[in-house]
Amino acid sequence: MAAWDTGSVPALPEGRDDVAAPRDASLPETALRGLGQRPFGVYVHVPFCATRCGYCDFNTYTAAELPDSASSPESWLAGLRTELDLAVRVLGEPPRAETVFVGGGTPSLLGADGLAAVLDAVRSTVGLTDDAEVTTESNPESTSPEFFAGIRAAGYTRVSLGMQSAAPHVLATLDRVHTPGRPVAAAKEARAEGFEHVNVDLIYGTPGETTDDLRASLDAVLDAGADHVSAYALIVEDGTAMARKVRSGELPMPDDDVLAADYELVDAALTEAGLRWYEVSNWAASAEARCRHNLIYWRGGDWWGAGPGAHSHVGGVRWWNVKHPARYAGLLAAGESPAAGRELLSVSDQQLERVMLELRLADGLALDVLDDAGQREARRAATEGLLDADALAAGRAVLTDAGRLLADGVVRRLVG
């Protein structure tokens, strides 16, 4: 393989703290126009972790990094409630949330009562539709049957568990703290407590991981009874402990050819088990098992991201919050917006993002979204076996199995 680029969703433009955000958080009328006609969700960022994984560059903090009360879970929750009140004022009459996704960080560190309080804050401000999908990420080590029973009673409908690998030496390389068998047990506990939808996350391509290790991880996922699997190629992010080990020669960079072979193994095993890909890095056992919240992202919907470092998007306006929990809580306590900056996406920006994201979906992208040059390039990609020729004739650009391995490269071709 000349290139490997299907490990994760392509990076959208990063929030920059030097782009001004109005302190009153108001949005232009153009952004609010059509609100409610597009899918709407709420993302809640929990910034707390027990330990820091060596590969992770998310906006997370351990207890040792947050020694004062201004950064406590209690002050974070108070800030969250205030920000959700702000969301209602900014959006006017916001549509009730069709989805809620509590991510992090390690939301399960809040416990069932803490997560219930988070959902109560969303429910009492923005509100929820009757059939809302409500997901929380969880570290298997901070869950139990009682935890799952508690969040199920609170209204959560979906759980996402970080397994990453079933091999102890791979977990050690990733600096993961859970024991290898715990994710399977946690998934089964969640099922037993009434969760129909359980996702398990995998990472493949970790230095030292063998094909047999990956097969064992896939067997564990299937044994867990998960109806959704997210599988991502390991990416060595700048500034992480893993990046420092790679620079020093302690660990090798993930190999592109190995990553491609691993992806094919993951896809074959999950497909054989009845899970079908619906996004390049995500497989589901049924349409109902697909993550509706992530589909809002991938299909250009609206969402309010609450919490330190969270990103939001409404009607072509994107903004992002300050990252540190104490700064976040302090701004809200002072009656100010926690936004660090925002940008108004141009028509060309929105089209680029639409191609980047929708092409990764199994149902692909409407061909007429592309300009003439992009459509010509799509026809060339079809002759090369990267796009489905029959789908293209019907007016859609849909990746083939070979195209999925080079998804980002195909996007670059279609947008010039």
Side-chain angles (χ1 to χ4, degrees):
M1 303 276 174
W4 170 258
D5 46 28
T6 191
S8 62
V9 173
L12 299 177
E14 281 293 322
R16 305 186 309 279
D17 286 348
D18 62 341
V19 180
R23 290 269 65 91
D24 64 0
S26 60
L27 291 174
E29 178 59 34
T30 54
L32 297 175
R33 192 178 303 138
L35 184 64
Q37 298 174 20
R38 300 176 295 269
F40 178 74
V42 172
Y43 172 75
V44 175
H45 187 74
V46 180
F48 309 112
C49 277
T51 61
R52 185 176 299 282
C53 298
Y55 62 91
C56 179
D57 72 337
F58 294 162
N59 187 45
T60 62
Y61 304 84
T62 64
E65 295 168 327
L66 298 173
D68 58 79
S69 60
S71 302
S72 68
E74 292 75 20
S75 62
W76 167 83
L77 182 58
L80 175 70
R81 291 185 176 117
T82 303
E83 186 181 2
L84 291 170
D85 285 333
L86 174 67
V88 173
R89 294 198 302 273
V90 169
L91 299 178
E93 294 184 8
R96 291 185 296 168
E98 300 173 30
T99 66
V100 177
F101 195 106
V102 184
T106 309
S108 49
L109 286 178
L110 299 177
D113 289 344
L115 284 171
V118 168
L119 188 54
D120 283 344
V122 177
R123 187 184 285 115
S124 64
T125 52
V126 176
L128 302 175
T129 61
D130 292 340
D131 64 343
E133 173 195 86
V134 183
T135 304
T136 183
E137 294 180 336
S138 299
N139 185 311
E141 292 293 344
S142 52
T143 64
S144 65
E146 294 75 20
F147 168 83
F148 291 120
I151 62 172
R152 188 73 188 92
Y156 286 81
T157 66
R158 189 172 179 274
V159 172
S160 182
L161 297 164
M163 173 187 284
Q164 318 314 349
S165 175
H169 69 97
V170 174
L171 293 174
T173 300
L174 295 171
D175 294 326
R176 294 289 294 183
V177 297
H178 65 257
T179 52
R182 179 58 199 153
V184 173
K188 291 180 176 179
E189 290 167 2
R191 286 285 198 184
E193 295 300 334
F195 281 94
E196 294 181 20
H197 302 306
V198 177
N199 172 68
V200 173
D201 282 345
L202 283 180
I203 289 178
Y204 57 88
T206 302
E209 181 182 57
T210 66
T211 300
D212 286 344
D213 291 332
L214 181 55
R215 286 198 180 101
S217 296
L218 289 164
D219 288 344
V221 166
L222 298 174
D223 180 50
D227 66 344
H228 189 287
V229 176
S230 300
Y232 302 103
L234 177 67
I235 297 175
V236 180
E237 301 284 4
D238 289 341
T240 61
M242 179 167 284
R244 292 190 289 273
K245 290 180 180 179
V246 169
R247 279 199 306 273
S248 70
E250 184 179 344
L251 289 176
M253 278 291 287
D255 180 87
D256 285 350
D257 289 338
V258 170
L259 292 175
D262 284 350
Y263 180 84
E264 292 176 323
L265 174 58
V266 169
D267 183 53
L270 296 178
T271 300
E272 183 178 356
L275 282 78
R276 299 288 185 266
W277 79 281
Y278 71 102
E279 192 274 344
V280 167
S281 298
N282 290 271
W283 290 257
S286 65
E288 294 73 24
R290 297 174 181 177
C291 181
R292 289 165 50 197
H293 186 82
N294 283 344
L295 284 167
I296 288 178
Y297 298 156
W298 297 327
R299 289 176 172 162
D302 295 329
W303 70 92
W304 189 288
H311 283 226
S312 302
H313 172 267
V314 173
V317 177
R318 184 189 337 337
W319 68 96
W320 49 94
N321 286 346
V322 296
K323 291 185 175 181
H324 199 278
R327 176 68 173 152
Y328 169 79
L331 284 169
L332 286 160
E336 295 189 59
S337 163
R342 79 175 186 190
E343 57 187 337
L344 178 63
L345 301 176
S346 67
V347 173
S348 60
D349 289 337
Q350 293 182 63
Q351 178 167 341
L352 171 61
E353 293 191 5
R354 183 175 178 184
V355 176
M356 288 172 64
L357 297 174
E358 288 190 25
L359 189 65
R360 293 174 62 90
L361 297 172
D363 52 4
L365 173 78
L367 195 59
D368 60 12
V369 171
L370 303 173
D371 59 19
D372 290 344
Q375 292 187 30
R376 286 194 299 272
E377 199 58 48
R379 289 190 287 271
R380 291 192 189 97
T383 64
E384 296 167 17
L386 301 176
L387 292 178
D388 184 279
D390 291 338
L392 199 68
R396 298 197 70 80
V398 175
L399 293 169
T400 62
D401 290 348
R404 277 190 280 160
L405 292 172
L406 299 167
D408 293 354
V410 176
V411 168
R412 287 191 290 272
R413 289 176 58 174
L414 298 187
V415 297

